[in-house]
Amino acid sequence: MPKSADRFLYNLAPFIIMIATFLAMAVLPFAKGLQTMDFDIGIFYVTAVSSIGVIGILIAGWSSNNKYSLIGAMRSGAQILSYELSVSLSLVTIIILAGSMQLSVIVESQRDSWFLFKGHIPSLIAFVIFLIAGTAETNRGPFDLAEAESELTAGFHTEYSGIKFAFFFLAEYINMFIVAAMATTVFLGGWMPLHFGSFESFNVVMDFIPPLVWFFMKVLGVIFLIMWFKWTFPRLRVDQILTLEWKYLLPINLVNILLMCLVVLTKFHL
Amino acid sequence: MSEIKEIIISSDKIHTDQYLVNMGPQHPSTHGVLRLLVRLEGEIVHHIQPHVGYIHSGIEKMCEAISYPQVIHLTDRMDYLSAHMNNEAVALCVENALQVEVPERVKYIRTIMDELSRLASHQLWWCVMGMDLGALTTFFYGLRDREHILDIFEETCGARMTLNYSLPGGVMFDIHPNFQKRVKEFIKEFKKKLPEYDQLLTGNVIFQERTKEIGYLSLEDAIAWGVTGPAGRGSGFSCDVRKHHPYSAYPLVQFEEKLDTRGDTFTRYRLRIEEMHESMHIIEQLIDNIPEGDYAVKMKGVVKLPEGEFYQRVESARGEFGVYIVSDGKKNPYRVKFRSPGFSNLFALNKMASGHKIADLVAIMSTLDLVIPDIDR
């Protein structure tokens, strides 16, 4: 621990991040009934608790008394708060389609076709935005400004070592899992097997694969996508990241919600 | 601590909104023990003061105590990525002083090795450039291709990086029988791989947004600060030693000096990529025509330079590398001075990066392609 660090906050920060992360795990439906809690406001709960994490990052950056940490924390504060909007709004788009915020209901109503296909173009746009914003919210590349190892050495956790550092890292990867699991649950049918309307035999074969396997296959697929981004794309600059959110993603998202409303009202969906 | 105070006091008033950050000596993107004292306002860089000397090894002073052939072995510890160019510079300088004419074969071999070194150096630069900007795949692509060149080096002279291949009077060994075949294979393969570099990084929208119109260096500044190599040519400064003061087999080959006047980070990046194409072009012209003959002329056991001052410049992968030898007629030099491209290029950094963000500073530094032992020597 650095000499001039704020001891209490310095020790507290990793725990806040871990708590935020594990709270979000509570509502994820791994399979039918395999869910710790089934709120009727499941999605709202996930978005709410996952934003606690940013407080941990800000505290970690401030209490370390290191300039790199502080820059990283301020970047991450600006970034996560902005992208929270996009994540929530893209989820709202799907809530409109599903008519419920309860995760088990959302999965159940994707029995015939996943929401990604059901809502046509608005769903697709929402999915892409969710992936982008989700990557940004978990501080993964190309949005990993908060740690930006080539600029800020290790960003907000520069001064951490040992198990406290491990907590930050674990939280980052669990966050990635949560984003992938949410994308799976909300867009890709959760633990539901892949069904095509008229291919009866295909559907029966698909039913033989257990739901838990389906869930993890989809989640790992999304995680693969997110990791692929990180390894391929250069990192954005802090002003570009905010421009992307406020000038592009947010307006697109708002228009997209209107589109989805139209789709739902006209019963155009599958 | 005293330096930090000095800087704050030396400005008109004490800034409460600006702060100093020490980038380095341990920092991932300074690629070695370079320390930059950066004055920041939030994310914006206001002033950069490079502090060098953390890996100073006193090579110039050491040279005074050893004989000329031994000097060679110190030079490739400076810019270890253009080791062969450095070797060659000293060898040429000694040869010119003694007015020794080396066989044609030596000139061809040296030029091919020069260009292979340049390719290897630019490949590593490309890896690191991507990594500095956060794209990690580039690192694996670049190192994958660089490996072939290092294998060729290893087969030729036994070393992969610190070659010690050029000596006064020629090269240390003749080329390996496989040399021509392997170089041709590599060129053929790398011609296919180089467009991949463009697909992965050059064409990327994020990369272009990050680098275009960032880190502008005007022609006047480039000349004033002595910025050479691809960094200088990116500002329109025609400074290619291979063109202006040809040495070895460069007068015999056709190649273009790539110039651009835009002077931003992207231009410097693009020129280096184009230089790789040119390097391959040069090797292709030479590799089939290596003349038969000796690989070295017989030199005296003890090389003694006549009294006087001698200067030789070569184009290393980073810019103009110069060797200045003052001799008093003894077997060891009286004084040796190396003009290292990295040193001059580094100090233009303040001009280029002031007013940009921290992330841009890293990108700009990357296009200067700094090798710290080259700066500190």
Side-chain angles (χ1 to χ4, degrees), chain A:
Chain A
M1 188 192 297
K3 263 184 206 156
S4 46
D6 186 322
R7 288 186 76 89
F8 175 68
L9 291 180
Y10 180 86
N11 289 322
L12 182 68
F15 291 100
I16 292 182
I17 292 179
M18 282 300 275
I19 288 166
T21 314
F22 277 101
L23 277 177
M25 293 274 279
V27 289
L28 295 179
F30 289 94
K32 192 172 172 62
L34 197 61
Q35 189 179 4
T36 319
M37 303 247 249
D38 194 11
F39 286 127
D40 53 353
I41 50 159
I43 289 184
F44 180 72
Y45 171 79
V46 171
T47 50
V49 293
S50 64
S51 42
I52 298 175
V54 68
I55 299 173
I57 293 178
L58 283 173
I59 290 179
W62 177 255
S63 65
S64 303
N65 195 22
N66 177 317
K67 285 163 192 166
Y68 288 129
S69 300
L70 190 59
I71 299 172
M74 294 323 282
R75 279 179 176 189
S76 134
Q79 177 190 335
I80 295 185
L81 290 181
S82 317
Y83 278 86
E84 200 97 289
L85 277 172
S86 273
V87 171
S88 316
L89 286 177
S90 60
L91 288 174
V92 164
T93 321
I94 294 302
I95 292 168
I96 292 167
L97 181 63
S100 170
M101 288 214 271
Q102 193 166 358
L103 286 169
S104 59
V105 174
I106 287 176
V107 176
E108 205 61 52
S109 54
Q110 297 181 73
R111 182 169 288 280
D112 301 322
S113 71
W114 301 351
F115 279 159
L116 182 61
F117 310 124
K118 198 173 183 178
H120 304 294
I121 293 164
S123 283
L124 208 68
I125 296 173
F127 180 62
V128 172
I129 291 178
F130 182 82
L131 269 189
I132 296 174
T135 321
E137 223 196 302
T138 51
N139 278 331
R140 293 283 301 172
F143 306 100
D144 57 346
L145 287 173
E147 8 186 324
E149 75 282 343
S150 60
E151 297 152 27
L152 304 178
T153 58
F156 66 93
H157 56 57
T158 306
E159 294 287 358
Y160 282 87
S161 65
I163 193 67
K164 286 173 208 150
F165 169 74
F167 272 12
F168 282 117
F169 234 68
L170 186 62
E172 184 183 323
Y173 278 83
I174 296 176
N175 271 330
M176 186 167 68
F177 177 80
I178 290 169
V179 165
M182 281 303 285
T184 305
T185 309
V186 174
F187 293 95
L188 304 175
W191 43 265
M192 283 287 176
L194 177 65
H195 279 176
F196 285 118
S198 49
F199 297 103
E200 275 308 319
S201 46
F202 176 81
N203 292 352
V204 171
V205 172
M206 287 292 119
D207 282 341
F208 271 108
I209 302 172
L212 206 59
V213 175
W214 269 112
F215 180 79
F216 276 102
M217 261 164 50
K218 291 171 189 175
V219 168
L220 291 179
V222 178
I223 288 181
F224 174 76
L225 259 181
I226 294 175
M227 287 195 164
W228 201 3
F229 292 155
K230 173 169 176 119
W231 284 77
T232 312
F233 292 135
R235 187 179 301 120
L236 277 91
R237 209 168 51 216
V238 64
D239 55 325
Q240 289 168 346
I241 232 165
L242 296 178
T243 312
L244 176 69
E245 164 63 19
W246 293 98
K247 287 199 180 157
Y248 298 99
L249 293 187
L250 193 64
I252 293 173
N253 230 329
L254 291 171
V255 174
N256 196 33
I257 290 179
L258 281 179
L259 264 179
M260 185 53 102
C261 290
L262 277 178
V263 167
V264 172
L265 281 176
T266 54
K267 296 209 183 327
F268 182 56
H269 54 78
L270 291 173

Side-chain angles (χ1 to χ4, degrees), chain B residues 32-198:
Chain B
V33 279
L34 171 66
R35 175 173 155 222
L36 300 176
L37 192 57
V38 186
R39 186 144 49 84
L40 295 167
E41 184 178 354
E43 283 265 345
I44 297 164
V45 175
H46 276 275
H47 186 81
I48 302 151
Q49 177 63 49
H51 286 254
V52 297
Y54 281 84
I55 198 167
H56 197 286
S57 39
I59 285 178
E60 285 175 5
K61 186 70 189 166
M62 269 198 274
C63 289
E64 291 170 18
I66 55 180
S67 68
Y68 291 101
Q70 287 172 322
V71 169
I72 299 277
H73 305 289
L74 287 178
T75 52
D76 48 26
R77 270 75 185 174
M78 297 192 299
D79 182 355
Y80 45 80
L81 293 177
S82 351
H84 187 262
M85 288 87 137
N86 298 0
N87 292 166
E88 195 187 350
V90 178
L92 285 171
C93 195
V94 173
E95 282 159 16
N96 289 349
L98 293 173
Q99 294 181 334
V100 174
E101 184 64 30
V102 293
E104 283 293 296
R105 187 178 177 80
V106 173
K107 291 184 180 173
Y108 275 67
I109 294 172
R110 277 180 180 170
T111 311
I112 293 169
M113 291 295 273
D114 270 349
E115 293 308 313
L116 284 176
S117 302
R118 196 182 315 282
L119 275 172
S121 171
H122 282 357
Q123 280 165 347
L124 189 72
W125 155 80
W126 185 78
C127 301
V128 174
M129 172 99 200
M131 225 171 53
D132 280 346
L133 290 166
L136 298 173
T137 312
T138 59
F139 197 70
F140 296 93
Y141 275 47
L143 285 188
R144 174 194 67 189
D145 300 332
R146 183 168 174 263
E147 199 63 21
H148 296 290
I149 298 185
L150 297 190
D151 284 344
I152 294 172
F153 284 168
E154 192 179 358
E155 205 177 54
T156 310
C157 60
R160 291 167 74 82
M161 279 175 76
T162 49
L163 300 177
N164 288 326
Y165 190 51
S166 265
L167 292 176
V171 289
M172 199 172 260
F173 319 100
D174 204 358
I175 48 173
H176 193 271
N178 284 340
F179 182 74
Q180 277 154 305
K181 195 182 101 220
R182 289 191 70 168
V183 170
K184 274 189 271 187
E185 269 171 19
F186 163 75
I187 297 282
K188 203 176 145 205
E189 206 176 314
F190 192 54
K191 279 224 160 136
K192 285 184 212 136
K193 298 272 173 64
L194 200 49
E196 271 182 28
Y197 287 26
D198 284 338

